[in-house]
């Protein structure tokens, strides 16, 4: 057993009747992945709780020098345990663990420390990772699960992209959000039936999804300010972390573009290949990473192809183009956290007409202050029209201050 010597293992017996709680990050993506896991006999519950009480709960258990995403995700789990909704003798917690230089590798330890402080250290904590760091007899990422989860991520990217580009113009408010829920239910049923996750099937469903959003009645004569969102991966997607940033921008008359998760996945695999090229490594690891990069890139190109069939939608650029853009202003060795990819996403958004960019920066995430706020001047040298505002998110930051800074950015956009 690797990891903490005294950790509580999630056993085969627990799989039958334990509820596994997971923090929320990207609602569309995580809903699909939760349903994938549940179709394999698990009982995952995705937490949708928000509010100041989550922050306060996190501050009780996580040192305030720790990064904001750790504080929130642990706070959300501890808040759920104290809610009275769950049998504490039949519950487990799950979190992703990266194994890299990011503090996210320590979230598991911090969570176990929080449980111990409360006398709840008998509750199993599952590390969701692909590095073999911790193993549990009752929870295994099998190849069939992994293939469906990867497909779910790409479906999530497409649904998020099309919803954000349709919602500001829809004639019948709520139709695009409703369509997202319809597709989540349909895809869940298809996954359970052993369908919709091979690349040929995914390509066909991408086309169907794009067509369904193209069929929504819209009025594109409405003027909308185009705004992109970048930042640390958790605070970029999580409404809990960014104080409902997408909803706020929509309420301000904006069309929002948020880069997808698949680009980040390719970035992480590509970084391993860069390391092997520079420092050497096992041929088996190189072969696996090369195969994964090809596999992810195929999904990415099929998604882009589906979107491009409908000229009213703006398709994201492929990862290779983002890497080329970043090379103009930053080195590829800058790869902790979101690394050079964050800078590249800013540049790609501007190229695609989203020249107003909100860079979400959580407290304690040092890489983002370098590749986000620290790169604004260099990006503006390439794109003088860029209108970029970095927004700090931490326990003491007030929502009104964040929103006022964004409103100031939007006033510049409208000038």
């Amino acid at each position: 057993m690797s990891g903490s010597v005294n950790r509580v293992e999630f056993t085969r017996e627990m799989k039958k009747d334990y509820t596994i709680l997971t923090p929320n990050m990207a609602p569309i993506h995580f809903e699909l992945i939760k349903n994938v896991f549940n179709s394999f006999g698990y009982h995952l519950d995705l937490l949708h709780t928000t509010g100041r009480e989550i922050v306060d709960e996190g501050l009780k258990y996580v040192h305030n020098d720790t990064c904001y995403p750790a504080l929130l995700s642990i706070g959300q789990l501890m808040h759920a345990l104290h809610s009275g909704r769950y049998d504490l003798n039949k519950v487990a917690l799950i979190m992703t663990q990266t194994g890299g230089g990011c503090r996210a590798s320590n979230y598991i330890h911090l969570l176990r420390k929080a449980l111990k402080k409360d006398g709840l250290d008998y509750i199993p904590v599952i590390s969701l990772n692909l590095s073999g760091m911790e193993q549990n007899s009752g929870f295994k990422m099998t190849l069939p699960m992994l293939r469906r989860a990867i497909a779910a991520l790409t479906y999530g990217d497409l649904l998020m992209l099309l919803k954000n580009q349709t919602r500001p113009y829809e004639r019948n408010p709520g139709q695009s959000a409703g369509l997202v829920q319809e597709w989540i239910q349909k895809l869940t049923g298809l996954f359970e039936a052993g369908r919709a996750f091979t690349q040929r099937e995914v390509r066909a469903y991408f086309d169907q999804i794009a067509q369904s959003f193209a069929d929504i009645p819209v009025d594109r004569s409405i003027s909308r300010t185009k705004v992109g969102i970048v930042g640390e991966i958790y605070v970029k997607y999580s409404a809990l972390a960014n104080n409902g940033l997408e909803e706020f921008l929509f309420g301000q008359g904006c069309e929002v573009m948020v880069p997808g998760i698949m680009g980040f996945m390719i970035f992480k695999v590509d970084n391993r290949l860069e390391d092997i090229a520079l420092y050497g490594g096992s041929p088996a690891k190189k072969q696996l990473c090369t195969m994964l990069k090809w596999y992810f890139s195929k999904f990415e190109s099929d998604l882009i192809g589906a979107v491009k069939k409908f000229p009213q939608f703006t398709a994201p650029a492929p990862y290779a183009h983002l890497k080329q853009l970043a090379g103009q202003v930053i080195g590829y060795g800058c790869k902790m956290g979101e690394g050079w990819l964050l800078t590249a996403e800013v540049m790609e958004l501007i190229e695609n007409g989203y020249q107003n960019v909100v860079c979400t920066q959580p407290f304690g995430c040092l890489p983002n202050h370098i590749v986000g706020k620290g790169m604004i001047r260099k990006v503006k040298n390439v794109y003088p029209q860029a209108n970029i505002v970095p927004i700090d998110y931490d326990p003491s930051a007030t929502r009104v201050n964040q929103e006022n800074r964004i409103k100031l950015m939007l006033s510049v956009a409208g000038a």
Side-chain angles (χ1 to χ4, degrees), residues 74-144:
I74 292 169
Q76 193 173 40
L77 288 168
M78 297 304 291
H79 180 266
L81 294 178
H82 295 146
S83 68
R85 289 178 54 206
Y86 303 99
D87 178 351
L88 298 186
N89 293 303
K90 294 285 184 182
V91 73
L93 311 177
I94 189 168
M95 292 187 88
T96 54
Q97 193 173 16
T98 60
C102 173
R103 286 187 229 189
S105 297
N106 299 315
Y107 287 10
I108 295 283
H109 170 71
L110 291 170
L111 179 57
R112 289 191 178 123
K113 191 176 176 184
L115 291 170
K116 187 173 183 180
K117 183 179 179 181
D118 244 15
L120 299 173
D121 47 346
Y122 56 87
I123 294 176
V125 178
I126 302 166
S127 167
L128 181 61
N129 69 83
L130 299 177
S131 307
M133 285 185 285
E134 290 188 357
Q135 296 178 3
N136 294 274
S137 60
F139 188 92
K140 294 187 187 302
M141 277 297 290
T142 63
L143 187 59

Side-chain angles (χ1 to χ4, degrees), residues 56-235:
D56 293 338
E57 196 79 0
L59 284 168
K60 289 181 195 173
Y61 300 98
V62 181
H63 195 282
N64 63 2
D65 270 354
T66 307
C67 59
Y68 194 46
L71 186 143
L72 286 178
S73 49
I74 292 169
Q76 193 173 40
L77 288 168
M78 297 304 291
H79 180 266
L81 294 178
H82 295 146
S83 68
R85 289 178 54 206
Y86 303 99
D87 178 351
L88 298 186
N89 293 303
K90 294 285 184 182
V91 73
L93 311 177
I94 189 168
M95 292 187 88
T96 54
Q97 193 173 16
T98 60
C102 173
R103 286 187 229 189
S105 297
N106 299 315
Y107 287 10
I108 295 283
H109 170 71
L110 291 170
L111 179 57
R112 289 191 178 123
K113 191 176 176 184
L115 291 170
K116 187 173 183 180
K117 183 179 179 181
D118 244 15
L120 299 173
D121 47 346
Y122 56 87
I123 294 176
V125 178
I126 302 166
S127 167
L128 181 61
N129 69 83
L130 299 177
S131 307
M133 285 185 285
E134 290 188 357
Q135 296 178 3
N136 294 274
S137 60
F139 188 92
K140 294 187 187 302
M141 277 297 290
T142 63
L143 187 59
M145 275 177 69
L146 192 58
R147 291 183 69 190
R148 286 163 177 79
I150 291 167
L153 280 178
T154 56
Y155 285 125
D157 279 353
L158 183 61
L159 289 169
M160 177 179 70
L161 178 112
L162 295 174
K163 173 184 74 76
N164 282 343
Q165 292 189 32
T166 305
R167 182 181 169 185
Y169 309 99
E170 61 190 8
R171 291 184 184 276
N172 306 309
Q175 195 168 354
S176 52
L179 189 55
V180 167
Q181 293 308 312
E182 284 178 32
W183 274 111
I184 287 174
Q185 289 178 9
K186 182 172 182 177
L187 291 167
T188 297
L190 289 165
F191 286 152
E192 289 173 354
R195 296 166 58 198
F197 65 90
T198 67
Q199 289 190 316
R200 184 172 53 83
E201 290 173 313
V202 169
R203 191 183 311 123
Y205 282 110
F206 278 173
D207 287 343
Q208 288 185 34
I209 290 170
Q211 181 67 65
S212 68
F213 277 89
D215 289 342
I216 290 177
V218 293
D219 179 3
R220 293 198 178 268
S221 67
I222 303 170
S223 177
R224 298 294 187 201
T225 303
K226 291 190 171 187
V227 180
I229 300 175
V230 299
E232 184 274 333
I233 192 166
Y234 179 82
V235 80

Side-chain angles (χ1 to χ4, degrees), residues 251-290:
Q252 296 297 308
C254 300
E255 179 195 319
V256 179
M257 171 78 95
V258 189
I261 292 178
M262 187 49 69
F264 182 77
M265 300 281 288
I266 300 172
F267 169 72
K268 286 299 179 188
V269 174
D270 191 35
N271 283 339
R272 303 287 80 77
L273 290 171
E274 291 276 1
D275 286 346
I276 292 167
L278 286 169
Y279 311 116
S282 74
K285 185 177 179 182
K286 182 179 179 180
Q287 190 175 9
L288 175 63
C289 289
T290 303

